[in-house]
Amino acid sequence: MKPSVIRIGTRGSPLALWQAEHVRQLLAGHSPDLEYEIVTITTSGDRMLDTPLPVIGGKGVFTAELEQGLHERSIDLAVHSLKDLPTAASPGLALGAVIERGDSADVLVSKSGFAMSSLPHGASVGTSSSRRAAQLLFARPDIQLIDLRGNAGTRLRKALDPSGPYDAVVVALAALARLGRMEVVSEIMSEDVMLPAPGQGAIAVQCRDEADGLALVRAIAHEATELETTAERAFLEGLGGGCAVPVAARARLGNDGWLHIRGRVLAFDGSTRVDVEATEQMALGRDGRQEAYQIGLRLAEDALRRGASGLLADTKGPAGL
């Protein structure tokens, strides 16, 4: 039997709380007979802000404690930024729904208003992401990378500090849009320069693999977003899942049922980039996600044939990250 109060677990950053409240409102619109409580959980990624993400374990550091809360039944649902959720499913848990995606682009924020083309030679750019770092170096080998940790608000404050070390930082457009901070954007980066992370801009709702919880969250799922992100995450999984090598992907499902996906694998130092893409007709409905998954896996195989396998063997990140 469903509990009368649904406890929604989330990280405590302003962005995470916005996302949890957004999910709460969507659920309340479909199941107004239930009460919803937002429960804040601090993850190891939130506590260890002085250490680069690849050193402390990468993306899973933002999700493990929330998943533990689901297993221990201290929460009923967990809200994640989908790009932070590992591709390997946790036993007993399910990715119940992915809601309609925001903009997946990355943006440049600069206190001096610099765009990529106008950054001075040797400019200092902040990011904690190996994917962003490698693509920055591919486009501008002269720039200097500086690790940048903290929630979106903290990173913006560091980026705009007149006496700070950053000429620019790279952050997700969706995060700034949700926080109402689009005025700080210096440039929306093109996907030719900065292809997003698999699942970027999408919000995931995780639950226990039980009928009641799954039925509750399926009501707010967005089919096109789920198919797109399934293909993107399958591309990542096909390359090794949680590997720390810079991997990017973006899929788009057209109204005509054709799914177009781009994938990218890079060397940490930006010296090598493998780009692949595919367009395939989708069968929507019950079998759609499995089909999208297979499209992503096939694209990963293509990337491996084109040289990504050599990049996957490299485990040394760029200096400073």
Side-chain angles (χ1 to χ4, degrees), residues 76-101:
D76 302 299
L77 308 175
V79 177
H80 308 279
S81 294
L82 181 58
K83 68 183 181 65
D84 292 336
L85 192 64
T87 57
S90 180
L93 302 183
L95 177 54
V98 180
I99 67 175
E100 187 170 6
R101 180 184 227 161

Side-chain angles (χ1 to χ4, degrees), residues 184-321:
V184 302
V185 173
S186 300
E187 179 184 25
I188 298 175
M189 306 179 79
S190 77
E191 291 183 357
D192 289 337
V193 174
M194 186 65 64
L195 197 63
Q200 185 158 309
I203 299 171
V205 185
Q206 193 179 27
C207 60
R208 289 181 288 277
D209 193 4
E210 299 171 355
D212 285 347
L214 287 167
L216 176 68
V217 300
R218 287 308 301 161
I220 65 171
H222 187 256
E223 183 179 35
T225 299
E226 289 196 332
L227 295 176
E228 291 172 358
T229 57
T230 294
E232 294 163 15
R233 286 164 58 80
F235 176 71
L236 176 60
E237 181 181 334
L239 294 170
C243 64
V245 173
V247 173
R250 181 61 164 101
R252 286 183 171 82
L253 180 66
N255 293 331
D256 56 0
W258 286 90
L259 183 78
H260 177 72
I261 180 171
R262 299 178 66 184
R264 181 173 294 162
V265 185
L266 302 101
F268 278 109
D269 62 2
S271 60
T272 306
R273 191 175 91 174
V274 175
D275 282 289
V276 289
E277 60 184 303
T279 302
E280 299 196 30
Q281 178 75 54
M282 288 291 303
L284 304 183
R286 185 178 63 181
D287 298 327
R289 279 198 282 182
Q290 182 58 33
E291 191 168 347
Y293 178 77
Q294 293 299 325
I295 291 172
L297 289 184
R298 287 195 291 272
L299 192 70
E301 292 172 356
D302 187 23
L304 293 171
R305 287 192 296 268
R306 293 173 182 266
S309 55
L311 302 180
L312 293 169
D314 181 11
T315 58
K316 183 178 179 181
L321 294 182

Side-chain angles (χ1 to χ4, degrees), residues 51-69:
T51 307
L53 281 178
V55 175
I56 61 175
K59 294 181 179 179
V61 300
F62 292 124
T63 60
E65 284 85 353
L66 290 166
E67 291 187 335
Q68 183 179 356

Side-chain angles (χ1 to χ4, degrees), residues 105-109 169-173 176 182 185-189:
D106 285 296
V107 299
L108 205 66
V109 175
V169 305
V170 182
V171 296
L173 187 155
L176 299 186
M182 288 296 292
V185 173
S186 300
E187 179 184 25
I188 298 175
M189 306 179 79

